[in-house]
C-alpha cells in the first residue's frame, strides 16, 4: 500500500515555473514507476509524463516535452515535477500516481493516486 500526497501547486503567470512534489508513504516506493497526470475543468484526466523505478528513464507527452522535468529521490520517497515556461493551457489539477509496470500511460494502469494539487497559469 502506498499513499501519495502532492504539494507545490499555485498560481503563476505565463512563462513562470512551479515545482510539484509528491511524497509517498511506505518502504516500497522504489518499486514503483511514478506518473504525473493532469485534469482541466470539463476534460478527461490526461497523462503528462512518467519516471521509472530508478529515476534513470523518463517519458513525456509532446505538449510538455522540453518544458517539464520529472525526477525522483527514492531516499526521500518523493517524486518531483518541475514545470517551466508554463502556459495557460497547463492550468489543471495535477496528480501523481504509482504503477508496477513501465511504461504505462493510462489511468487504469496506475494502482495508487494522490489527491491532486491545483496549478493555475494566467496570461
Amino acid at each position: 500500500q502506498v499513499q501519495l500526497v502532492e504539494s507545490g501547486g499555485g498560481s503563476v503567470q505565463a512563462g513562470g515555473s512551479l515545482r510539484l512534489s509528491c511524497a509517498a508513504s511506505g518502504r516500497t516506493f522504489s518499486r514503483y514507476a511514478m506518473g504525473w497526470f493532469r485534469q482541466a475543468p470539463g476534460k478527461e484526466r490526461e497523462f503528462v509524463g512518467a519516471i521509472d523505478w530508478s529515476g534513470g528513464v523518463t517519458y513525456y507527452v509532446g505538449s510538455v516535452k522540453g518544458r517539464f522535468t520529472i525526477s525522483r529521490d527514492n531516499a526521500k520517497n518523493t517524486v518531483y515535477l518541475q514545470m517551466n515556461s508554463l502556459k495557460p493551457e497547463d492550468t489543471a489539477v495535477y496528480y501523481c500516481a504509482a504503477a508496477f509496470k513501465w511504461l504505462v500511460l493510462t489511468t487504469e494502469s496506475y494502482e495508487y493516486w494522490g489527491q491532486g494539487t491545483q496549478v493555475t497559469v494566467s496570461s
Side-chain angles (χ1 to χ4, degrees):
Q1 189 84 9
V2 176
Q3 292 183 329
L4 304 172
V5 179
E6 300 96 336
S7 62
S11 297
V12 295
Q13 290 190 328
S17 299
L18 281 174
R19 188 176 83 153
L20 306 184
S21 299
C22 172
S25 64
R27 294 177 291 179
T28 60
F29 174 71
S30 61
R31 297 181 183 178
Y32 293 89
M34 297 298 296
W36 283 96
F37 289 75
R38 64 187 180 186
Q39 188 166 19
K43 295 187 176 181
E44 293 187 353
R45 193 170 298 187
E46 65 172 355
F47 175 82
V48 173
I51 189 165
D52 76 338
W53 307 272
S54 70
V57 182
T58 54
Y59 178 86
Y60 304 93
V61 294
S63 59
V64 307
K65 199 171 185 178
R67 300 189 298 123
F68 290 12
T69 302
I70 299 173
S71 61
R72 68 190 293 164
D73 186 337
N74 286 341
K76 295 182 178 180
N77 279 12
T78 303
V79 63
Y80 305 96
L81 177 63
Q82 176 68 45
M83 304 184 293
N84 299 327
S85 302
L86 282 162
K87 305 175 181 179
E89 50 264 43
D90 294 319
T91 295
V93 177
Y94 283 72
Y95 300 89
C96 66
F100 285 118
K101 298 181 180 179
W102 175 264
L103 168 64
V104 288
L105 310 185
T106 62
T107 57
E108 295 80 5
S109 300
Y110 284 79
E111 281 77 20
Y112 303 105
W113 290 84
Q115 83 290 349
T117 186
Q118 176 71 45
V119 171
T120 302
V121 184
S122 58
S123 58

